[in-house]
Amino acid sequence: MRGSAVLRAALVAAVGAGAVTVATIGPQTRVILAGAPTQEAAAQTARPVPVTSRVLVCGGQALRGVDGISDAGRPAPPPVSVLSAMAPAGLAGILPAGPGTPGLTARPLPFGSSTPTPLAPGAVPVATAVTGATALQLAATGSAAATLTGAQRQLAAGTDSRGLAAAPCGTARADSWIVGGGGEPGRQERLVLTNPNPTAISVDVTAYGERGPISSPNGLGIAVGAHERRVVLLDALDNGETAPVFRVQASGGVVHAQLHDSWLDGIVPRGEDDTVATAGPATAQVVPGVTLRGNQDHLSVRVAVPGQVGATVTIRSLGLPGQQVPAAATATIKAGGVKEVELPDASGALGLSITSSAPVVASALVTRGDATGGVQDFAWVPATPALTGPAGLPLQVAPPAGSAVPAGSGARLVLSAPAAAQTATVSLVDAQGAISPQPVRVSAGSSTSVDLTGATAVWVTPGSGALYAAVVVTQASGDAELVAALPLESRPQQETPPVVEPLHP
């Protein structure tokens, strides 16, 4: 954001002086100003500087603020808790801190003149409750801003809704692919669109199905005002498609998109989950963080081919080293189409490797079953980019001294290395903010997991190769075990501002 501000300021100044020429050289942008007072000024070379501000968005409660549906008189949904944290001092892979005292605030969206709520900007997570038809904006400034991380979590345990819905908070994007939803009776998808910036945007949502893109005017030109949030029912866009995939594109800015998928089978709740953007179209995708308990659980992978050429897709399990690997699953998908690929023999899978003859997007669906064959809950696990630097996730608020972890809750970190073997540093943060780093080796073509019981946050610092990470969280609810998966994402610690130099006559 700082680089964009510098560029705008330079252009405004140049308009008053005369012509402006902008040339791009490699990753740097030169803004050349006319009418400079001297001709001897040497060209300046842009240097990376530490990131000293970061904004993350958490979509909040998807059951409130839905377009065309009044919230009046409806039962209050379960609360949404947002956890936020920053990297602890001394964490492996963290670059020297930038200037400024660390600061962290939370602010509901939409907002008018409301004052942001200060939060404790430390390694131990802090919780913020999100209620009503609001998202939450987390804004970090100062020396630790680059390491800001956040996640939201919602536990539903009622008679008409049951499930563990969780998702990482993320940055707004101009173009996102989201995989989720289904065509079963009582299945409903809500798309939460949040604009964290001070200018209004227009959003187009395109649904894709087995036969290709689904034409619907209902997804075009959705207006999201400055600092606003909208919740859109997707039933009117996907025409009952059994395995939909959605593309979200913003004009005039960027938008944070989060999909809430809930399923009520008659009067029986079958689960719910939140999911965020999957990795962009590519011929190789990795889905870390799939875990099955046995024959009662089920695993499938939903794959979409966005381009103009069909694809042949191969899906392989990435299990523990030495574990017998099930046969790969293959599928042929038409251009613009979607297919749900069943993986009946994947009980040992912790991750999935997807290769394709054409770029695809993909997410896995883990379904928790019971002894009678009924569905207890489900979790969407999106494909995620490889880690390029430290990545972390808050897990729980620090419990009071001497207290135990809440009964029935659990968390595991899953690391997947689809190609060469990798060694990562996994750092667990305790209730006092102290870190316990440990090296974790992941064999080639396999996955491994780390128990996170008792940790308030986890951080992963990768080596030099391709490594993928996600956290699987579980919660006991009556006779059911509810489940959700949250991918880990690396974010840049430095940014390169544009170069501004005089234009010599």
Side-chain angles (χ1 to χ4, degrees):
M1 294 297 293
R2 183 193 312 126
S4 298
V6 171
L7 178 58
R8 287 195 299 269
L11 291 176
V12 169
V15 168
V20 177
T21 301
V22 180
T24 301
I25 303 176
Q28 305 169 8
T29 300
R30 285 182 169 180
V31 181
I32 306 175
L33 308 182
T38 64
Q39 299 183 21
E40 293 80 14
Q44 300 295 313
T45 301
R47 298 180 183 277
V49 297
V51 171
T52 56
S53 65
R54 173 146 291 154
V55 171
L56 298 182
V57 176
C58 319
Q61 172 58 259
L63 303 180
R64 285 291 180 265
V66 181
D67 284 0
I69 299 178
S70 173
D71 293 333
R74 301 175 63 211
V80 173
S81 175
V82 171
L83 301 179
S84 53
M86 296 181 180
L91 182 74
I94 295 296
L95 298 178
T101 302
L104 178 61
T105 59
R107 196 174 203 178
L109 298 175
F111 66 77
S113 58
S114 61
T115 302
T117 302
L119 302 177
V124 176
V126 293
T128 306
V130 181
T131 58
T134 60
L136 193 71
Q137 174 183 287
L138 298 172
T141 56
S143 58
T147 67
L148 176 64
T149 182
Q152 74 170 55
R153 184 167 174 167
Q154 180 185 31
L155 175 63
T159 57
D160 59 351
S161 65
R162 182 175 65 179
L164 179 61
C169 305
T171 55
R173 307 180 184 186
D175 194 353
S176 302
W177 290 87
I178 297 187
V179 180
E184 296 88 350
R187 194 86 174 255
Q188 197 168 62
E189 310 99 17
R190 299 171 177 87
L191 183 65
V192 183
L193 302 173
T194 306
N195 175 13
N197 294 315
T199 55
I201 58 174
S202 177
V203 178
D204 290 341
V205 181
T206 305
Y208 289 74
E210 183 179 4
R211 291 180 294 276
I214 300 169
S215 177
S216 173
N218 297 315
L220 302 179
I222 301 172
V224 186
H227 301 304
E228 286 191 351
R229 184 191 94 136
R230 288 190 65 175
V231 182
V232 180
L233 280 175
L234 295 176
D235 303 40
L237 276 71
D238 62 19
N239 292 334
E241 174 63 39
T242 58
V245 172
F246 302 94
R247 186 178 188 181
V248 181
Q249 296 171 285
S251 300
V254 291
V255 68
H256 179 266
Q258 176 181 303
L259 185 145
H260 182 81
D261 184 1
S262 62
W263 184 12
L264 183 63
D265 183 8
I267 61 172
V268 180
R270 298 298 188 187
E272 54 187 69
D273 196 18
D274 291 325
T275 190
V276 291
T278 188
T283 56
Q285 301 280 10
V286 176
V287 179
V290 298
T291 56
L292 305 180
R293 299 172 304 175
N295 294 333
Q296 70 269 37
D297 291 353
H298 180 261
L299 177 63
S300 62
V301 181
R302 188 173 299 178
V303 184
V305 182
Q308 303 299 315
V309 179
T312 299
V313 177
T314 302
I315 304 172
R316 294 181 174 86
S317 294
L318 301 173
L320 295 171
Q323 189 177 53
Q324 183 174 359
V325 178
T330 60
T332 301
I333 308 173
K334 63 177 290 185
V338 179
K339 182 167 288 188
E340 192 100 1
V341 183
E342 304 293 330
L343 300 174
D345 184 20
S347 59
L350 292 173
L352 300 170
S353 172
I354 303 168
T355 56
S356 173
S357 60
V360 296
V361 295
S363 285
L365 176 62
V366 175
T367 302
R368 281 280 189 263
D370 59 24
T372 64
V375 176
Q376 294 180 327
D377 195 18
F378 58 84
W380 284 105
V381 193
T384 185
L387 299 180
T388 57
L393 196 73
L395 303 172
Q396 61 173 326
V397 175
S403 65
V405 175
S409 64
R412 298 194 71 85
L413 170 70
V414 176
L415 301 174
S416 297
Q422 302 295 320
T423 298
T425 300
V426 176
S427 301
L428 305 186
V429 181
D430 67 15
Q432 287 71 45
I435 59 173
S436 301
Q438 57 178 303
V440 176
R441 179 175 170 79
V442 188
S443 299
S446 69
S447 298
T448 193
S449 69
V450 178
D451 185 11
L452 303 177
T453 300
T456 62
V458 61
W459 289 84
V460 179
T461 303
S464 58
L467 184 69
Y468 303 78
V471 169
V472 178
V473 293
T474 56
Q475 177 65 55
S477 177
D479 60 351
E481 182 185 77
L482 311 180
V483 62
L486 300 90
L488 269 66
E489 178 183 353
S490 299
R491 296 187 178 93
Q493 301 179 59
Q494 293 183 320
E495 59 184 357
T496 303
V499 176
V500 180
E501 66 178 60
L503 175 63
H504 304 313

